[in-house]
Amino acid sequence: MSNIIRFGVSLEKDLIAEFDRYLKDNGYTSRCEGIRDLIREELVKREWRVGQRVAGAISLVYNHHRRELINRLTDTQHDFHENIISSQHIHLDDDNCLEVIVVKGKSKEVQKLHRALRAVKGVKHTAFTMTTTGKKIP
Ligand code: NI
């Protein structure tokens, strides 16, 4: 027996037309696949909101000549060592470094780590990818 359940959805014409444009722009070939992804997207957002165990990546760009900044970034990462799975350091040019920190754990803790890193004086930019461990997302 299939584990697929079909259900009907009634939507306004304008809304479905806009949704179809969204699907086309994003390369979907079926409404089903687009709806599945939107549902997963919301379920992952919910994991973060309600404080479940999550996964993610924090990217930082900074100038490595600022020694105090390096020390603070390192101290902060040691404070959160239980949430950090790995980190990668890329020398972008003579001055700039890109660091990508892969994180896992309770959403509140991981968000606290991101805020602490972002607040370090001299960090030029951070990007935060908030994703899932995948355990509760079919
Ligand atoms: Ni570097």
Side-chain angles (χ1 to χ4, degrees):
M1 207 173 98
S2 164
N3 68 347
I4 300 283
I5 294 173
R6 287 177 180 277
F7 65 102
V9 180
S10 305
L11 295 173
E12 291 82 0
K13 257 188 194 169
D14 292 350
L15 185 58
I16 200 70
E18 195 57 35
F19 184 57
D20 285 344
R21 273 194 292 278
Y22 162 87
L23 293 174
K24 194 168 174 251
D25 290 348
N26 288 283
Y28 288 104
T29 53
S30 83
R31 284 179 181 158
C32 286
E33 200 48 48
I35 289 169
R36 280 186 202 113
D37 279 358
L38 288 177
I39 291 172
R40 289 190 191 107
E41 188 76 33
E42 283 307 311
L43 292 176
V44 171
K45 278 187 195 165
R46 185 174 170 278
E47 287 185 346
W48 281 84
R49 204 169 49 242
V50 303
Q52 291 186 6
R53 296 189 70 80
V54 295
I58 301 168
S59 305
L60 309 165
V61 175
Y62 57 85
N63 184 321
H64 77 99
H65 295 300
R66 302 183 61 157
R67 292 289 153 196
E68 183 55 29
L69 176 150
I70 307 279
N71 289 340
R72 285 202 51 200
L73 290 179
T74 305
D75 285 350
T76 304
Q77 290 188 58
H78 278 274
D79 290 346
F80 287 86
H81 66 90
E82 285 174 0
N83 295 112
I84 296 176
I85 300 168
S86 78
S87 67
Q88 186 171 20
H89 184 111
I90 296 106
H91 311 298
L92 292 173
D93 58 30
D94 290 346
D95 305 315
N96 293 293
C97 303
L98 167 64
E99 201 158 317
V100 181
I101 302 160
V102 180
V103 294
K104 192 173 156 184
K106 292 261 183 193
S107 65
K108 302 283 181 247
E109 285 300 303
V110 173
Q111 282 171 303
K112 210 166 139 190
L113 168 60
H114 171 242
R115 281 196 301 271
L117 292 169
R118 188 177 58 185
V120 173
K121 199 167 177 244
V123 171
K124 293 183 180 185
H125 185 254
T126 67
F128 190 14
T129 306
M130 299 160 95
T131 186
T132 177
T133 62
K135 281 187 182 167
K136 292 179 179 170
I137 305 292

